[in-house]
């Protein structure tokens, strides 16, 4: 075995261990019964209070409504981003649109700035309108921030598709609308699923917009509700907080593993 391969495998192993350590601590300390928690991190399992900790987190943080809200935000926003990005990618790659590079950078530039720079103008504009502390307000901002990256993936994937198929369809008299739905969408299905999974996870894990643009419990997303468990007025211990974090991560894990095949192939850029 070559030295380069040994170094590569060793680096991957070290990174895997570094990733597994906090995951191990999360699971082990979520298992500790909250009443017997000593105040320090547990490296080995001591007792089994996972379900009781999850029950406390569910009740005290009102995770049920928040989970439904996040499911709404993640599904609608991710679907909107996929649809808009698919249309944009089709227009800038397949259709004879002028200044394609310019349109690419206009749309993709939405990913170049950190999301924190949008907080103040968004908060002020939402506060002056009827969008603050509303579900439609969160859906709009989540869809808007998801579109640029979704367009980037869809465009790069569309560039790998054979041009001959499009040219043959146009010669047969197919309209752009028919070409999009009957040829472009089936060929880019794996990329669309990959984009949906990625944006679903991103919206589900968002905390910044959830605590900035909402105040009501019936509006806030799941991460904002979970943050209340470790707030200044919370009286639950770390095992309950960790069990709640483990609980709310299950939907994203299930989605990712169920769509893993599409996720990997959709993000792959062919030469």
């Amino acid at each position: 075995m070559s030295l380069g391969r040994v170094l590569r495998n060793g680096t991957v192993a070290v990174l895997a261990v570094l990733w597994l350590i906090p995951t191990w601590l999360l699971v082990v300390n979520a298992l500790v019964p909250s009443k017997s928690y000593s105040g320090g991190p547990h490296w080995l399992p001591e007792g089994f209070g996972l379900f009781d900790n999850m029950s406390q987190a569910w009740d005290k943080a009102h995770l049920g409504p928040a989970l439904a809200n996040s499911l709404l935000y993640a599904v609608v926003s991710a679907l909107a981003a996929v649809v808009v990005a698919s249309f944009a990618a089709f227009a800038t790659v397949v259709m004879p649109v002028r200044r394609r590079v310019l349109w690419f950078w206009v749309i993709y530039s939405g990913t170049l700035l950190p999301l924190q720079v949008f907080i103040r103008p968004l908060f002020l504009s939402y506060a002056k309108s009827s969008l603050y502390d509303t579900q439609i307000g969160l859906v709009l901002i989540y869809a808007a921030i998801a579109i640029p990256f979704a367009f980037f993936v869809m465009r790069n994937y569309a560039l790998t598709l054979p041009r001959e198929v499009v040219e043959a369809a146009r010669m047969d008299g197919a309209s752009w609308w028919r070409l999009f739905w009957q040829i472009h969408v089936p060929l880019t299905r794996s990329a669309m699923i990959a984009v949906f999974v990625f944006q679903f996870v991103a919206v589900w894990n968002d905390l910044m917009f959830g605590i900035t643009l909402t105040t009501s419990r019936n509006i806030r997303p799941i991460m904002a509700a979970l943050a209340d468990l470790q707030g200044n007025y919370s009286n639950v211990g770390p095992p309950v907080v960790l069990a709640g974090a483990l609980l709310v991560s299950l939907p994203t894990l299930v989605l990712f593993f169920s769509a893993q095949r599409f996720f990997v192939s959709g993000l792959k850029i062919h030469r």
Side-chain angles (χ1 to χ4, degrees):
M1 183 179 295
S2 64
L3 179 61
R5 188 171 183 180
V6 171
L7 292 176
R8 183 186 62 185
N9 293 341
T11 301
V12 171
V14 170
L15 293 176
V17 171
L18 291 177
W19 181 84
L20 286 173
I21 288 175
T23 305
W24 171 259
L25 287 173
L26 168 64
V27 175
V28 169
N29 287 272
L31 292 173
V32 178
S34 59
K35 294 182 180 180
S36 61
Y37 188 72
S38 60
H42 291 248
W43 287 91
L44 295 174
E46 296 183 13
F48 187 84
L50 177 63
F51 296 137
D52 181 62
N53 293 339
M54 285 184 174
S55 177
Q56 290 187 56
W58 183 274
D59 294 334
K60 293 183 179 296
H62 302 277
L63 294 183
L67 190 145
N69 288 333
S70 279
L71 188 62
L72 171 67
Y73 302 148
V75 171
V76 175
S77 301
L79 282 177
V82 168
V83 172
V84 174
S86 298
F87 278 118
F90 180 79
T92 56
V93 174
V94 180
M95 298 180 67
V97 176
R98 298 178 59 185
R99 301 182 178 86
R100 298 183 178 184
V101 176
L102 175 62
W103 281 113
F104 166 76
W105 283 109
V106 167
I107 301 175
Y108 182 67
S109 61
T111 64
L112 302 181
L113 295 175
L115 295 178
Q116 287 80 357
V117 303
F118 303 114
I119 286 296
R120 186 175 186 275
L122 270 174
F123 177 80
L124 294 177
S125 60
Y126 270 44
K128 294 179 181 178
S129 65
S130 59
L131 293 176
Y132 183 76
D133 198 28
T134 62
Q135 291 180 331
I136 185 63
L138 281 183
V139 167
L140 288 175
I141 185 58
Y142 284 143
I145 63 176
I147 287 173
F149 180 78
F151 168 71
F152 174 77
V153 176
M154 294 301 302
R155 174 185 177 271
N156 286 352
Y157 195 88
L159 288 173
T160 67
L161 300 180
R163 297 287 300 178
E164 295 80 6
V165 177
V166 176
E167 294 172 358
R170 290 296 292 171
M171 291 181 63
D172 290 340
S175 63
W176 292 116
W177 185 254
R178 182 179 179 183
L179 185 62
F180 175 79
W181 286 110
Q182 296 188 2
I183 296 180
H184 183 76
V185 170
L187 290 177
T188 59
R189 183 182 61 175
S190 60
M192 295 172 69
I193 296 176
V195 168
F196 177 84
V197 172
F198 188 91
Q199 299 302 348
F200 181 98
V201 174
V203 173
W204 185 273
N205 292 332
D206 172 73
L207 173 63
M208 182 175 62
F209 292 112
I211 63 177
T212 305
L213 303 179
T214 64
T215 57
S216 304
R217 282 185 170 179
N218 61 331
I219 301 296
R220 63 184 180 179
I222 190 68
M223 291 302 166
L226 186 63
D228 286 347
L229 282 177
Q230 49 188 341
N232 294 330
Y233 301 101
S234 176
N235 57 357
V236 299
V240 176
V241 177
L242 295 176
L246 192 62
L247 177 64
V248 302
S249 66
L250 293 179
T252 56
L253 291 175
V254 172
L255 176 64
F256 177 79
F257 284 112
S258 62
Q260 185 179 12
R261 177 170 60 91
F262 298 101
F263 188 80
V264 173
S265 62
L267 293 182
K268 186 184 298 182
I269 300 177
H270 304 280
R271 294 185 180 273

